[in-house]
Amino acid sequence: MEEHVGTTPVDYVKSTARNFANREKIGGLLLIIATLVAVGIMNSPLAEGYEHFWKEKYVIANEDFGINRSLHHWINDGLMVIFFFVVGLELKREFLVGELADKKNATLPVIAAIGGMLTPALIYVLFNAGGEHLKGWGVPMATDIAYSLGIIALLGKRVPMPLKVFLTALAIVDDIGAILVIALFYSSDISWISLGIGGGLMVVLFALNLLGVRSIAVYIIIGIALWVAFLMSGVHATLAGVLLALAIPVKVKMGTKVFKQKTEEKLKELEERDLEHKSALKDKKQLDIVNEIRDYTKKSRSPLLRLENSLSGFNAFFIIPVFALANAGVAFESGWTEVFTDAAGHGIMIGLILGKFLGVFGFSWIGIKLGFGQLPKGANWGAMAGIGLLAGIGFTMSLFITNLAFDGGEIIDVAKISILLASFTAAILGLIVLSISLRKKSINS
């Protein structure tokens, strides 16, 4: 985003939220393309080379001492940390200065997200109780932000903004829940020394925040050390991204009132210069004034918002599509239809399609009836049903948890195919229901 002197910090907050929504829509379309490319390659003669490419190992330090990971692991344990870091920043912004700062607006998506996590997990357990793949209960729990917003974007301005915010908030809370599930249930061989170092670094980060340190570079450097500590601890490294986001300062060095006063003083000084005959290249004083205004602008903007604004595009346009390329590739070989008879396949597909719908829609209905929230402005119950179905698009996080829940073999392919089929079905059904309900509302109004 370009920096303009006349832009106030409040405008910057609104712009950050708007840019996030726009980027996620385009990112969703890129994600769809990346998924189709990955699936296409895995069902072509290039499949063997494709798999070998992602398994190639890259080492920091050396083989005996350092971090030795395949490209696939670098993406899932490295790039995805940035993804979760941005998710953490988005969630923190929404609860502090966004739509969710209003308690009444924040409560309903949280309730819906909880229902949308518990119900699919329960359905999976019902199908797999006592089976060898019970550990996959976390696979159908999460909603994919990029995909769901990319799909809802196809309906354009017919979708009320509060309904989009509801879906975004639900998906973000959902992802945070998935992160906690990963940390608590899909981490193994805990190194308490490394975990202790990570805890110490978190104390340092929060102390810096309280002391008023606003240098982004300081937080990023310590954040990298935090990531290494979690990577070595056995607790999944992606948790480091969310924890770092929580420590990033929101408060600015210079408030809006002071920013306005100082900027006006500098603009007055600038007007007194010979602007008609001398440019900033010839008049050093002009250049000094412009640089000072730029410094004031930087100080008036929250470190959290600056980071979110700078990373959201990278997250949506690069990290998520690359993740899809590395993880979505699955071969539809003879016998792939076993997903329709496999208990794990049943749990994932029914969990994502029916479980997500029942959880999101049902818990939203209960929450509103009990007075904990209200329907998003401009929405009706039909639209909420459509959102409940779209929440069944579990792609990114579902694939991520699949790699953690299962040790390998055919079950990985079964899970991936189930996720793809369920997400596609949920997207189509959600789009149809949402389109019909919004059309009816438009006719009635």
Side-chain angles (χ1 to χ4, degrees), residues 7-331:
T7 302
T8 67
V10 175
D11 292 330
Y12 189 61
V13 173
K14 294 179 180 178
S15 175
T16 298
R18 187 166 53 251
N19 287 344
F20 162 69
N22 292 334
R23 286 166 180 162
E24 290 300 317
K25 293 171 187 175
I26 300 172
L29 296 177
L30 287 176
L31 183 54
I32 292 171
I33 294 171
T35 302
L36 293 175
V37 169
V39 173
I41 292 176
M42 277 300 292
N43 290 275
S44 76
L46 301 174
E48 187 176 342
Y50 170 87
E51 288 189 292
H52 177 75
F53 174 76
W54 297 116
K55 291 178 181 178
E56 189 70 29
K57 288 199 172 183
Y58 295 86
V59 182
I60 290 182
N62 57 58
E63 294 280 353
D64 299 320
F65 180 79
I67 305 174
N68 179 19
R69 296 286 193 278
S70 67
L71 181 57
H72 183 264
H73 280 106
W74 278 116
I75 291 169
N76 289 4
D77 295 345
L79 275 183
M80 288 301 286
V81 174
I82 302 175
F83 167 81
F84 285 110
F85 177 59
V86 176
V87 168
L89 293 175
E90 290 159 0
L91 185 67
K92 188 172 181 179
R93 168 178 55 77
E94 283 295 337
F95 274 103
L96 292 177
V97 295
E99 291 287 340
L100 302 182
D102 183 332
K103 188 177 179 181
K104 202 164 187 179
N105 289 338
T107 304
L108 190 62
V110 172
I111 292 173
I114 291 172
M117 289 185 283
L118 293 179
T119 311
L122 179 60
I123 287 176
Y124 185 94
V125 169
L126 289 175
F127 276 101
N128 291 272
E132 60 178 324
H133 301 311
L134 180 61
K135 197 178 179 184
W137 59 267
V139 174
M141 287 182 64
T143 296
D144 190 288
I145 299 176
Y147 252 134
S148 56
L149 286 181
I151 295 298
I152 206 174
L154 298 175
L155 296 176
K157 294 182 179 179
R158 283 189 290 164
V159 183
M161 183 53 69
L163 193 61
K164 293 179 182 177
V165 171
F166 173 83
L167 177 60
T168 303
L170 182 156
I172 290 174
V173 174
D174 206 299
D175 274 353
I176 296 299
I179 293 166
L180 292 176
V181 167
I182 290 169
L184 296 174
F185 300 101
Y186 293 107
S187 298
S188 58
D189 299 325
I190 304 297
S191 168
W192 294 105
I193 294 177
S194 296
L195 200 57
I197 292 171
L201 290 171
M202 280 306 304
V203 171
V204 172
L205 285 167
F206 282 114
L208 291 172
N209 190 327
L210 292 174
L211 291 171
V213 176
R214 296 292 177 266
S215 171
I216 290 177
V218 172
Y219 288 93
I220 296 301
I221 290 170
I222 298 176
I224 292 172
L226 180 69
W227 168 70
V228 173
F230 273 87
L231 190 65
M232 298 298 189
S233 71
V235 174
H236 205 272
T238 49
L239 186 61
V242 177
L243 293 175
L244 176 60
L246 297 179
I248 298 297
V250 178
K251 291 182 179 179
V252 298
K253 284 186 178 180
M254 182 182 293
T256 306
K257 187 175 181 180
V258 177
F259 167 78
K260 182 175 180 293
Q261 177 187 335
K262 286 185 171 291
T263 301
E264 287 176 347
E265 290 174 359
K266 290 301 172 183
L267 288 174
K268 189 174 180 181
E269 287 183 33
L270 194 60
E271 289 173 358
E272 295 172 356
R273 309 303 299 175
D274 186 6
L275 300 179
E276 290 186 11
H277 300 94
K278 290 184 178 180
S279 68
L281 294 175
K282 295 180 180 180
D283 186 357
K284 186 177 182 299
K285 183 62 177 175
Q286 284 186 46
L287 190 60
D288 290 340
I289 292 172
V290 171
N291 286 334
E292 287 184 71
I293 292 175
R294 182 181 297 166
D295 186 53
Y296 296 157
T297 304
K298 186 177 179 180
K299 289 179 179 178
S300 71
R301 293 179 174 175
S302 163
L304 182 145
L305 293 177
R306 283 162 53 202
L307 272 170
E308 184 188 345
N309 226 13
S310 61
L311 289 175
S312 290
F314 180 66
N315 199 35
F317 305 148
F318 180 75
I319 293 177
I320 298 303
V322 168
F323 174 84
L325 284 172
N327 291 274
V330 60

Side-chain angles (χ1 to χ4, degrees), residues 356-402:
K356 273 291 183 182
F357 169 75
L358 292 176
V360 171
F361 184 83
F363 273 57
S364 295
W365 186 84
I366 293 171
I368 290 174
K369 292 301 179 182
L370 293 178
F372 292 120
Q374 57 189 3
L375 277 174
K377 190 175 180 181
N380 54 27
W381 281 111
M384 291 296 284
I387 292 297
L389 287 165
L390 287 180
I393 305 174
F395 190 78
T396 304
M397 284 306 302
S398 293
L399 288 176
F400 194 82
I401 295 176
T402 292

